[in-house]
Amino acid sequence: MHELAMAQGIINSVIETANENNATEVTEIVIEIGKLVLINPEQLSFMLDVLCENTIVENAKFDIIEIPAEIECPECKFKGNANTDDLDHYAPIIECPKCKNKRVSILNGKDCIVRNIIIEQPN
Amino acid sequence: MHKVADIEVQHNIMEANKKLANKNKEIFEKNDIFTIDIVGAIGSGKTSLIEKIIDETDYKIGVIAGDIISKFDAGRIENHGVPVVGLNTGKECHLDAHLVEHAIGDLPLSDINLLIIENVGNLICPVDFELGSHIRIVVVSATEGDDTIEKHPMIFENSDLVIINKVDLADAVGADADKMVNDAKKLNPDVNVIKTSLKTDEGFQTVLNSINKFKNNL
Ligand SMILES: Nc1nc2c(ncn2[C@@H]2O[C@H](COP(=O)(O)OP(=O)(O)OP(=O)(O)O)[C@@H](O)[C@H]2O)c(=O)[nH]1
Ligand SMILES: [Mg+2]
Ligand SMILES: [Zn+2]
C-alpha cells in the first residue's frame, strides 16, 4: 500500500545516480524487491511509470526482480527459501520448511534495492 | 553519438528509513525515554489504551498521534494533560521515521520517560517502517472478526506484545478470542499475548506489567 513512497525513493535514487554520471537518458533500471517487503510489484510498476514522466527516466524500462525470502533454521540447520502460504497471502511464511520451527533468522528478502541502471552518456 | 554505460547503484530504498529510525532511537536513549510504537486495526482501541496508561500510571508520558488526515486522537490525548504531537500522514498509510523525527523536535524530551507513538490504523504497511521505538505493540479487537490475525501474519511476526481487545464484546459478535490468542502464538511463539477489555479493565494490569518488564529489561 505504500508503493508510492517506495516508487518515489527509487526514482530519486535513479535520477541522482544518472546526474552524477552525466547521463542524457536512462534506458533501463534493475530493481530487486524482497518477498518480505509489503509492496505489490505490479502496483509499484504502475507508480514508477507515473512518476518518471517528464524526467530523464521517462523512457526507461523497469526490470523488477523478486528476491525470495531466505531463512536459516537454528534447530535443523536448514538454509534456503521460505515457503509461500497456500492461503493466498502475498508474503512468504516465516518458518522452517523442514521442521516448521518459527524461530528462524531471516537472511534475505527484506530489502528493496536499485541494483543498476543503463544510461546513455555524451561522447 | 553517445555511449551506453551500465552503472552500479546498489541503493537500498529501505535503508534510508532504517537509518533515521536508528537516529531517533539514539535521541530516545540519550534522554532516557522508553518508546512504544502502537500499531493495530482501525478502531481497535489504540487511543483508548494510551488514555488509560496516562490516567493509571506514574510515567511521565508524551504521545505522538498519527492519523491520516484528522487530529482527533491528538485532541483526545491532550485532554489527559500530557504533551502530544499530532502527525498527519496525508495520503500515506503508515508513520515513518522521518515524520517521527519531526515530532520529536516538538516534544519536551526532558519531561518525558515514556513516549507512546500511535501509528495509523493499518495492519499491513507499518511493518516495513521502523520508527526507532524499543517495542511494538499490536492492538486488534474481537469485533474485527477472529480471523484478523491469520489474515495479517506479518505484523504479528514483527511485534513484541499482542493485545486482543474488546473481549467484552466477543460473544456479541460471535468471535472466539482464544482462537485469536492461538493464532498469534502460532505466528510468533515468543510473543506475549494478552486479552483485554478497556471497558471492564480485564487484562489491563497484565499489559502494564508487561510494559514495565520490557522497560526494565532494557
Ligand atoms: N466495548 C468496548 N469498547 C471499546 C474497548 N476499547 C475501545 N473501545 C471503543 O472502541 C472505539 C474505538 O476506540 P479507539 O481507542 O478510538 O480506537 P483506535 O484504535 O484508536 O481507533 P483509530 O485511531 O481511529 O484507528 C471507541 O468508541 C472506544 O470507546 C473495549 O475494550 N470494549
Ligand atoms: Mg486512535
Ligand atoms: Zn528447521
Side-chain angles (χ1 to χ4, degrees):
Chain A
M1 276 202 256
H2 40 271
E3 284 76 8
L4 182 59
M6 287 295 191
Q8 192 65 63
I10 291 169
I11 298 283
N12 290 349
S13 155
V14 170
I15 290 178
E16 193 181 305
T17 311
N19 287 339
E20 280 165 13
N21 290 280
N22 301 317
T24 50
E25 195 174 347
V26 179
T27 55
E28 199 174 330
I29 298 165
V30 184
I31 303 163
E32 296 178 346
I33 298 180
K35 278 278 203 182
L36 292 170
V37 180
L38 297 176
I39 53 182
N40 175 333
E42 258 167 59
Q43 267 176 296
L44 178 73
S45 172
F46 174 75
M47 293 294 178
L48 287 170
D49 285 340
V50 173
L51 288 176
C52 70
E53 267 173 41
N54 301 317
T55 71
I56 193 171
V57 192
E58 187 162 46
N59 297 314
K61 174 175 159 283
F62 289 97
D63 199 353
I64 299 181
I65 303 169
E66 287 194 73
I67 305 296
E70 197 190 341
I71 59 169
E72 185 168 10
C73 176
E75 291 295 324
C76 73
K77 306 293 169 214
F78 170 88
K79 191 172 162 187
N81 294 345
N83 285 337
T84 358
D85 178 324
D86 39 3
L87 306 166
D88 57 356
H89 288 310
Y90 169 72
I93 336 172
I94 310 196
E95 72 172 23
C96 173
K98 273 234 173 85
C99 73
K100 303 293 169 202
N101 175 22
K102 299 261 181 194
R103 294 178 180 92
V104 295
S105 4
I106 295 170
L107 305 179
N108 212 347
K110 292 184 97 162
D111 294 310
C112 169
I113 295 172
V114 180
R115 199 171 74 185
N116 60 302
I117 60 177
I118 313 277
I119 60 170
E120 290 185 356
Q121 291 170 318
N123 258 340
Chain B
M1 278 305 284
H2 45 239
K3 59 182 202 277
V4 172
D6 183 343
I7 310 285
E8 177 116 349
V9 186
Q10 287 298 349
H11 188 166
N12 191 341
I13 307 296
M14 314 295 283
E15 206 56 49
N17 184 74
K18 224 174 276 171
K19 274 198 194 123
L20 283 178
N22 289 339
K23 230 174 91 191
N24 291 345
K25 194 168 201 167
E26 274 171 30
I27 296 175
F28 299 144
E29 290 184 346
K30 217 167 60 204
N31 288 280
D32 283 322
I33 298 175
F34 183 72
T35 302
I36 303 174
D37 173 18
I38 300 192
V39 299
I42 295 179
S44 59
K46 299 180 293 300
T47 310
S48 307
L49 176 66
I50 296 171
E51 290 173 308
K52 224 175 172 54
I53 297 174
I54 296 171
D55 292 347
E56 300 189 17
T57 69
D58 296 328
Y59 289 121
K60 293 186 285 178
I61 295 174
V63 177
I64 297 174
D67 243 319
I68 296 200
I69 43 172
S70 71
K71 290 248 159 90
F72 281 111
D73 284 354
R76 273 170 64 185
I77 302 289
E78 214 162 46
N79 290 335
H80 294 258
V82 301
V84 54
V85 179
L87 277 184
N88 283 143
T89 56
K91 53 197 178 312
E92 283 298 337
C93 40
H94 58 271
L95 290 180
D96 61 32
H98 179 71
L99 285 167
V100 169
E101 182 189 27
H102 279 290
I104 294 173
D106 292 334
L107 283 168
L109 296 183
S110 49
D111 298 334
I112 295 172
N113 61 16
L114 177 66
L115 177 67
I116 308 179
I117 305 173
E118 176 173 347
N119 217 310
V120 176
N122 183 322
L123 287 175
I124 301 165
C125 300
V127 175
D128 281 339
F129 296 87
E130 288 171 30
L131 305 179
S133 64
H134 296 98
I135 62 168
R136 179 186 272 162
I137 300 181
V138 53
V139 182
V140 290
S141 73
T143 54
E144 287 129 43
D146 57 19
D147 54 359
T148 315
I149 295 181
E150 278 180 286
K151 280 176 174 164
H152 304 91
M154 298 284 277
I155 198 120
F156 297 93
E157 282 160 352
N158 286 281
S159 293
D160 304 289
L161 173 60
V162 177
I163 295 181
I164 319 267
N165 190 32
K166 305 195 193 180
V167 291
D168 57 300
L169 298 176
D171 285 344
V173 298
D176 180 353
D178 291 322
K179 170 189 186 295
M180 299 175 80
V181 174
N182 289 336
D183 287 348
K185 282 276 180 201
K186 234 186 280 167
L187 287 166
N188 187 345
D190 296 318
V191 84
N192 212 339
V193 189
I194 304 170
K195 291 190 287 185
T196 62
S197 163
L198 298 172
K199 279 275 165 348
T200 68
D201 278 2
E202 176 181 346
F204 179 67
Q205 192 54 49
T206 318
V207 172
L208 289 185
N209 295 345
S210 177
I211 291 173
N212 286 335
K213 209 162 139 200
F214 278 115
K215 192 168 185 288
N216 294 335
N217 284 346
L218 209 67

